[in-house]
Structures are given as structure tokens and as C-alpha cells.
Amino acid sequence: MKIAAILAIVFIVGCKASTSPNGTTSTEGSMTATVNGSAWSTIGLPGAQTARATRDTSSGTVTVTGLNANLENLTNPSSITLILLRPSVGTVTLGTTGNEGIFAYGTVPKDGYISTSGSVSITKFDTVNRLISGNFNFTGTQILDTISKSVTVTNGSFLDVEWSK
């Protein structure tokens, strides 16, 4: 059983999203960003999508989530979630009309931040193959302490993140 756990950890660490020189991810099914000046990316099993999407066909909402859980931070994984109401190719403003950016780590809602401003530039929205790609940035305030704590997420990108049927 210990060997299986060690192998699982090695596989989790083995796949990290990579970025191109212009700051966008070049790994399909992944997400990257800069969070408060530090590089952030999804990490998961090799060959597996490290970012996921869901689509609610009744409301038209697409939710894109990337998870970072690595050996250095197994007890405090972090995630970025983008909630997009009726997305299409073009720019969506975050923090208004149901469109949100969320950064979370550790214990949510204590360590969760929700967007007050920002945007997502959707570069691909393929409803036939169920894929979404784009770039994003946002500033968020802590969910439980909206006055004194904030997070800045810049240079964000996600590439060909798939949602299931």
C-alpha cells in the first residue's frame, strides 16, 4: 500500500503545465497564472487533464477549475476557478453579472478570494468538441475579510479545457 501511495505522489508531481515565452500555457487541459507575483500552474497525472470544466446547459454557465497540489504543498492545495455565464469568444468582465474569478487555498472560505475586478478573454469556445481556452486576470478580496486581504492573479491562461457531455 505504501508503494502505491508513493507512486501516486510521483505521478502527481510528474505533470506540470508549461508556459510559452508570452506567458500562456502550452499544455492542453491545463491552467497557469501568476498569483501575487509567484508562478502558479496546475499539476496532475501525466497525460491527464489538470484543469477541468463543467457546463450547465440550462443556464449556459461554464466553470473552469485548475488545481495545484504538489509535494511541497500537499496539505494546502490551491485552485483557480472561473465561473462564466453564457461564455462566447470575446472578453468577459469578472466581478459582475454572475461572472467570477476565485482563488482558494487551504481552508475555504477562510482562505478563499473572490474577484472584485478582472476579465477573461475567451479565445476558443467549441461546443462540438466541448473545449474552452482563454486568458484571464483578476483582483480578489478574501471572502471572510473583504477589507484587509486581497489577491492579484495575472498572466492567467487555460488551453483546451474539456467539459464532459
Side-chain angles (χ1 to χ4, degrees):
M1 193 63 156
K2 287 183 182 180
I3 292 173
I6 291 169
L7 287 174
I9 290 170
V10 168
F11 281 125
I12 289 170
V13 174
C15 185
K16 185 172 181 175
S18 60
T19 57
S20 68
N22 64 2
T24 60
T25 183
S26 57
T27 306
E28 291 181 1
S30 70
M31 181 185 285
T32 63
T34 302
V35 177
N36 286 339
S38 296
W40 182 96
S41 66
T42 54
I43 297 175
L45 295 172
Q49 206 173 247
T50 58
R52 299 273 186 232
T54 58
R55 183 172 188 220
D56 181 336
T57 53
S58 63
S59 69
T61 301
V62 173
T63 303
V64 181
T65 302
L67 176 65
N68 176 304
N70 58 36
L71 278 179
E72 293 85 37
N73 204 14
L74 282 176
T75 57
N76 283 318
S78 59
S79 65
I80 294 177
T81 300
L82 303 169
I83 301 170
L84 308 169
L85 184 60
R86 292 184 295 279
S88 61
V89 171
T91 301
V92 174
T93 301
L94 296 177
T96 60
T97 63
N99 297 305
E100 299 292 347
I102 301 168
F103 175 74
Y105 71 94
T107 308
V108 176
K110 177 180 166 273
D111 298 319
Y113 297 81
I114 192 161
S115 60
T116 54
S117 64
S119 64
V120 178
S121 174
I122 300 169
T123 57
K124 179 180 194 176
F125 186 63
D126 181 345
T127 58
V128 173
N129 295 303
R130 302 175 322 276
L131 298 171
I132 186 167
S133 299
N135 302 300
F136 62 94
N137 67 74
F138 64 89
T139 299
T141 56
Q142 191 173 33
I143 293 170
L144 293 181
D145 185 0
T146 58
I147 296 172
S148 63
K149 296 182 182 177
S150 65
V151 66
T152 302
V153 179
T154 58
N155 304 315
S157 72
F158 52 98
L159 178 64
D160 287 344
V161 177
E162 183 178 16
W163 64 84
S164 56
K165 292 181 182 181

